[in-house]
Amino acid sequence: MPTSRRKAPSTTRSSRAAGRPAEPGAADRARTASVADQVVLTGPPGRLHATVSVENAVSERVSVRGAVLHRSGQQPVPGLATALISPGATASVPVSVSLSRTTPPGELEAELEVGGTRRPVRVLVEPELDLHLSPSRVLAVPGSQRLPLTLVNHGNVDIPLAALTRARTDDGGPEPGPDVSLTVLDPTTVEPGAVVSVAAELTVPDDLDPTRRHVARIPVGTADLEVVVLPRTATEELS
């Protein structure tokens, strides 16, 4: 007499019935991936980059989404990292992290978490020179005029302002013209993240050819002040 066959219970069901945990999900499988120990993040503080070698040691595809930078005494900093790694494969995963733009140049010790695995990382913060000047372009006439300037340091290094700077004028001809000068009346240093207002005096020589337009770019820290002197009529010169 034929006997009836019964289906064996599924692995997941029997595991649950026995109180054992079910098969790990994608996030758990990602944690089994291994990350190369030698990782160096380099760049300006807002654009730190590295390439991390990640090996998928499991029999299913592993999805790497995101990275986290851990520093002692600091809040974790999320970063960008995306990869889909086949079973048994190793992938070079680009990672980018942004720190505060005022983070000073130098080397930081930290840990980088990719695919659920944390490894030591060297963070090499490069200098970033980013000084914004307002106004950055002005119209001027021969003689002296007061000029208020506002400077914002978006970089991560101090920017000193010189008391006197000069630039040659250019009228489009083959030879440079005489100098235009800028005197900062109270020279200072613009620190990272600072906003500084200064009074300056712009001096344009009287012997510029009045029939030509003259342009000069005067250095103000790492920024430039573009000075434009328009052609003038005889009446304007006398006034």
Side-chain angles (χ1 to χ4, degrees):
M1 183 176 181
T3 57
S4 61
R5 295 184 179 178
R6 300 172 59 189
K7 283 188 178 180
S10 67
T11 306
T12 304
R13 223 182 242 179
S14 61
S15 298
R16 287 177 182 168
R20 295 191 299 272
E23 184 182 1
D28 297 308
R29 289 197 298 271
R31 281 196 285 271
T32 65
S34 63
V35 184
D37 287 339
Q38 194 59 248
V39 179
V40 181
L41 275 168
T42 61
R47 302 184 302 278
L48 292 162
H49 296 281
T51 299
V52 180
S53 180
V54 181
E55 179 187 5
N56 179 6
V58 299
S59 59
E60 297 183 27
R61 288 192 303 178
V62 168
S63 177
V64 176
R65 295 181 180 177
V68 182
L69 185 69
H70 300 272
R71 294 170 56 198
S72 178
Q74 304 288 330
Q75 290 292 325
V77 179
L80 299 177
T82 304
L84 186 61
I85 309 174
S86 300
T90 299
S92 295
V93 182
V95 177
S96 62
V97 178
S98 296
L99 297 179
S100 168
R101 296 183 69 173
T102 58
T103 303
E107 182 172 345
L108 305 174
E109 295 298 326
E111 289 186 329
L112 183 65
E113 181 179 349
V114 180
T117 301
R118 288 170 63 158
R119 290 291 185 273
V121 60
R122 292 175 62 206
V123 182
L124 303 179
V125 181
E126 298 175 354
E128 183 170 28
L129 307 178
D130 189 357
L131 186 69
H132 178 76
L133 173 66
S134 180
S136 60
R137 194 174 192 224
V138 296
L139 284 174
V141 296
S144 296
Q145 63 185 76
R146 284 294 183 97
L147 184 63
L149 299 174
T150 299
L151 301 107
V152 184
N153 188 353
H154 295 297
N156 63 347
V157 295
D158 291 346
I159 304 295
L161 302 182
L164 176 64
T165 53
R166 294 189 177 95
R168 291 290 175 89
T169 54
D170 178 12
D171 62 7
E175 298 295 331
D179 286 348
V180 170
S181 64
L182 183 74
T183 302
V184 177
L185 302 179
D186 188 14
T188 185
T189 295
V190 188
E191 298 177 351
V195 180
V196 173
S197 296
V198 297
E201 187 172 85
L202 179 64
T203 303
V204 177
D206 294 323
D207 55 349
L208 294 178
D209 184 345
T211 66
R212 296 177 179 271
R213 182 177 63 193
H214 305 267
V215 178
R217 299 178 67 89
I218 304 178
V220 183
T222 58
D224 287 326
L225 174 65
E226 184 176 8
V227 179
V228 180
V229 183
L230 296 178
R232 305 172 307 284
T233 64
T235 303
E236 290 173 327
E237 278 198 291
L238 292 175
S239 63

